[in-house]
Amino acid sequence: MRKSVKALIVTFLVGFIGIYLGAFLNLEGYLGVILSVATMGYFIISAIEDICNK
C-alpha cells in the first residue's frame, strides 16, 4: 500500500474516532480536527525525514 493511501486512511479513521470522542467529551467535534491535523503532520514529518535520510 502506498504511503499516501495509508496516510489518507489513517487520518480519516483518527478524525472519525476523534469526532465521536470529542462529542462524548462535549468538545463538539474539535477533537477530531485536532487529531486529524496531528496525524497528517506526523506523516508529513515522516516523509521529510525519509527524503533527508537518503
Side-chain angles (χ1 to χ4, degrees):
M1 184 181 303
R2 293 177 51 184
K3 284 187 179 184
S4 59
V5 174
K6 182 179 176 183
L8 177 68
I9 292 170
V10 172
T11 303
F12 176 77
L13 290 175
V14 169
F16 192 72
I17 291 168
I19 288 172
Y20 283 103
L21 186 60
F24 177 73
L25 297 174
N26 201 20
L27 294 174
E28 300 175 2
Y30 293 120
L31 188 61
V33 174
I34 292 168
L35 291 178
S36 293
V37 170
T39 303
M40 191 50 65
Y42 164 77
F43 281 107
I44 292 170
I45 290 171
S46 176
I48 291 170
E49 285 179 347
D50 288 346
I51 291 171
C52 290
N53 289 333
K54 284 187 176 182

